[in-house]
Amino acid sequence: LETNAPRHGLVVGLSAVAWQQVGTIDSTTGAGGFILRLGAVATPRTVLMLELFGMGFLAGSGDSYILSSQALSVMAQTYVAPTLWLRGGGGFASFTHAIEDKTNPDTFYNAYVRNGLGLTFGAGLDLVKWRRTRLALENTVALHRFAQGWIVDMGVGIGVTMY
């Protein structure tokens, strides 16, 4: 027997995302990043996934600021319509800050890493469906809480998911 459900089996997804970050630890300009998802279909409308996202920011004047933000979350995605979905979950977050010394390349000072917890929410619209593959326009918002403060990452991107 073969299922006729719109989604079944394992799930693999990859998204390219343009990010903006604000927060009390550090605020930067826009940047680029990725989201990688691995999971399984739980019901015909719901998918459970492990999501890893990472982004890098180049900012500052004079010396270069190198900032990056990452999160690993357990997520649930549910289709509220045949092509419209909502996603949410939580997990671990990390933020890295370093300043490269222009006079001595590959030398960094004032470097630190912050680790904490995060919540991630998103919504998307499947634009193209081809067999078990979907191309989607998506929005992601991640709130990260650290002992030293908080950061919010907001992103818009395009993703490919295979169900």
Side-chain angles (χ1 to χ4, degrees), residues 6-8 11 41 43-49 76-87 124-129 132-136 138 159-163:
R7 289 161 287 282
H8 61 278
V11 177
V41 174
T43 71
R45 291 183 39 200
T46 304
V47 179
L48 298 178
M49 295 177 282
Q77 175 177 305
T78 188
Y79 277 80
V80 294
T83 60
L84 179 65
W85 49 262
L86 300 174
R87 178 173 40 238
L125 179 65
D126 290 346
L127 301 173
V128 177
K129 174 185 171 185
R132 294 184 62 198
T133 304
R134 309 288 190 279
L135 178 69
E138 60 185 67
V160 175
T161 304
M162 294 186 315
Y163 294 96

Side-chain angles (χ1 to χ4, degrees), residues 36-155:
L36 174 64
R37 298 178 184 99
L38 301 171
V41 174
T43 71
R45 291 183 39 200
T46 304
V47 179
L48 298 178
M49 295 177 282
L50 190 60
E51 179 178 280
L52 172 68
F53 85 72
M55 65 197 81
F57 301 91
L58 297 176
S61 58
D63 291 340
S64 295
Y65 289 78
I66 299 170
L67 308 169
S68 67
S69 190
Q70 305 83 31
L72 179 63
S73 302
V74 175
M75 306 290 285
Q77 175 177 305
T78 188
Y79 277 80
V80 294
T83 60
L84 179 65
W85 49 262
L86 300 174
R87 178 173 40 238
F92 300 101
S94 176
F95 176 76
T96 304
H97 174 273
I99 302 172
E100 185 177 24
D101 186 348
K102 291 284 189 177
T103 61
N104 192 3
D106 298 326
T107 302
F108 297 91
Y109 61 93
N110 195 22
Y112 58 83
V113 176
R114 307 286 190 234
N115 294 308
L117 299 174
L119 296 173
T120 304
F121 305 97
L125 179 65
D126 290 346
L127 301 173
V128 177
K129 174 185 171 185
W130 184 69
R131 296 187 185 180
R132 294 184 62 198
T133 304
R134 309 288 190 279
L135 178 69
L137 180 62
E138 60 185 67
N139 178 20
T140 301
V141 177
L143 172 61
H144 301 161
R145 180 69 175 122
F146 306 98
Q148 300 80 6
W150 57 270
I151 291 176
V152 176
D153 297 313
M154 299 164 285

Side-chain angles (χ1 to χ4, degrees), residues 12-33:
V12 177
L14 180 64
S15 300
V17 182
W19 293 97
Q20 177 65 43
Q21 186 177 74
V22 296
T24 61
I25 294 178
D26 210 324
S27 294
T28 66
T29 59

